[in-house]
Amino acid sequence: MARSSRLSPPLPFQEQVAIFARLEEANPHPETELNFVNPYTLVVAVALSAQATDIGVNKATKGLFAVADTPQKMLDLGLEGVTEHIRTIGLYRQKAKNVIALSRILVQDYGGAVPDSRAALMSLPGVGRKTANVVLNCAFGQPAQAVDTHIFRVGNRTRLAPGRDVDEVERAIEDNVPARFQQHAHHWLILHGRYICQARRPRCAVCIINDLCPYEEKTA
């Protein structure tokens, strides 16, 4: 997507309500497509998902989480054990080091528990703002917005959350999306971008918000 120096204004409140109401009706309880069993395994799964698909991560973590679903168990498994489980994922060597390092910090500094603070989460190796926001939203029920390329694209095309970069889109969601939809907003947007409003050829013909979307380059 070409990035203009001039942003379109966000959709008016009532139009936002109409769009999110349809997304909610179609999927009332959206969830992350990453498999996890507790906040710790969610941290690991999201950290592993950078430059990898959720499907690929789920295949790798199925065996990993069966033997190591706590920070201490992960440390007991060791770097070589973690590496062997996730070697099918891109950048697996560095990611394995990060998993061991963040597990050690959680054991030493947090008694093995995952903190519910963005700043604390982002201090962990391999955990950026997006990962932290996923954990805050999915594990702790906070209306944090984890913006990725799908959400960036959908936010700008629909003008639900226009922004020049992911940080601006995150703020636009927080500032403009009606409060009742904040908890699930990023899930609806990422799923819509992943399966309908795709990058090269959006599937406008089957889009449930087609008539409400201001995107000018709709496909037939």
Side-chain angles (χ1 to χ4, degrees), residues 116 118 129-130 132-147 151 169-189:
D116 60 356
R118 181 182 288 114
R129 186 178 183 89
K130 174 175 166 281
N133 282 347
V134 171
V135 175
L136 292 174
N137 184 286
C138 299
F140 298 110
Q142 298 183 24
Q145 309 301 331
V147 177
I151 297 177
V169 170
E170 180 182 335
R171 289 193 296 272
I173 295 174
E174 294 172 345
D175 292 344
N176 300 303
V177 172
R180 61 174 276 204
F181 302 116
Q182 287 277 333
Q183 180 62 39
H184 296 310
H186 94 271
H187 282 125
W188 285 318
L189 295 177

